Amino acid sequence: MSDISGVISPCITLFKEDGSVDEPATLDLWTYFFANGVDGLFVTGSYGLGPLMTNDERLSLFKVAVKAREKFPDRKLIAHVGAADTKSAVELATQAEALGFDAVAAVAPWYNKYSEDLIFDYFKTIIQSVNIPTYAYNNPKTSGFMFTLDFVKKLQAVGLKGLKDASVDFKFLSSVFYDAKLNHKDFHVILGTENCWLTWSQMGGDTIIGGMTNYVPDVDYKIKKIFETNNYEAKIKAYTLATNFRKQILFTDSTISSHVALKAEGRYAGFSRAPMEVPYTDEHINNAKKLITGIRRDIDALIKEYNFDIPEPETLSTASAK
């Protein structure tokens, strides 16, 4: 079974004003995520604007992720290698494996409409190009293709080891999850959002992709620790706080909102890449500051209310001492 678990960050990429990738700033940011309890990185996915980059740029960010993990060897790296063409996806997958990534993931090829058989061939080719686990990334809003249990089973037969689901279609998601569990399959499912995190946790799901890690990684870390307790009432309260927070802070596209919230945190948030633009207005930044202060206060009050003993996340110094 996969040893990937916990809260994985769909880490944003920082760009310079001219649109080029800002590798030093991105390295600093991703290292900050690890220092604040993030369990792994999902690199060049939707939040990271992988589809707006060349293969060489995505490969450069794979290397940045490897460097960020140097002092946190227990953390996991997943390379999103999905592309509009199979050749590019395979090239990225093989490079990620060579760099030491723990897994690769791919969304279905986008823009053109393809038959299920052609999409199957795309995934099969990626799976067979590497020896590390391959996750299929179900993101129908961006790819235009919605997975089914039967399609997942076909991919499992040729070596698919996991699914990252961003559809939040629990009829589909639970069917895949319980099919794997009941039939003792070596197959790992990741919930691709904080939405329904509590339901997922109660089902036995152990891994999510948490967008909040891009600006409040410490909050996601504390919620994860609360979810590891047996106190269901506290879990409900923590999830409700997080849900209300997300509803308010995600004022537009989640990537844009993440950059604004990161800047509101007082951290360098860089620029985005055209055609995407980040509106760093005083209104949005001040609102994000207020919301972030509130969620930290409320989660800490909840921890105090139930007298939870939540350890500090592993820091750079303790990680490097191992």
Side-chain angles (χ1 to χ4, degrees), residues 222 225-235 238 299-311:
K222 290 174 181 177
K225 290 300 183 183
I226 293 171
F227 281 4
E228 290 173 357
T229 72
N230 293 320
N231 193 317
Y232 189 56
E233 181 181 75
K235 293 179 186 181
I299 289 294
D300 285 344
L302 183 63
I303 291 169
K304 184 177 181 180
E305 176 185 354
Y306 288 94
N307 198 30
F308 291 137
D309 182 17
I310 295 180

Side-chain angles (χ1 to χ4, degrees), residues 2-5 7-11 30 34 39-45 61-62 65-66 69 75-81 96 100-106 132-137 163-164 188 190 207-209:
S2 172
D3 60 353
I4 295 172
S5 65
V7 180
I8 309 298
S9 176
C11 43
W30 293 357
F34 281 148
D39 296 297
L41 302 178
F42 188 84
V43 184
T44 72
L61 286 165
F62 293 174
V66 170
R69 185 173 65 171
R75 310 304 166 86
K76 304 301 178 182
L77 300 178
I78 306 173
H80 174 245
V81 302
F101 270 68
D102 299 283
V104 298
I132 56 176
T134 297
Y135 286 71
Y137 178 9
L163 175 78
K164 181 206 167 191
H188 184 229
I190 299 175
T207 314
I208 71 154
I209 303 289

Side-chain angles (χ1 to χ4, degrees), residues 159-180:
L160 186 72
K161 291 298 183 182
L163 175 78
K164 181 206 167 191
D165 181 78
S167 72
V168 201
D169 180 341
F170 257 76
K171 181 179 179 180
F172 160 72
L173 188 58
S174 60
S175 70
V176 174
F177 181 77
Y178 287 125
D179 171 72

Side-chain angles (χ1 to χ4, degrees), residues 31-38 72 75 217-219 221 296 313-314:
T31 304
Y32 163 73
F33 293 165
F34 281 148
N36 281 272
V38 169
F72 301 89
R75 310 304 166 86
D218 54 310
V219 172
Y221 169 78
R296 285 202 171 112
E314 188 175 65

Side-chain angles (χ1 to χ4, degrees), residues 13 17 24 27 67 106 114 124 133 138 147 151-152 167 209 211 238 275:
T13 303
E17 191 168 8
L27 172 61
K67 189 168 182 61
Y114 301 102
K124 179 181 178 181
N138 182 36
F147 284 61
F151 186 68
V152 172
S167 72
I209 303 289

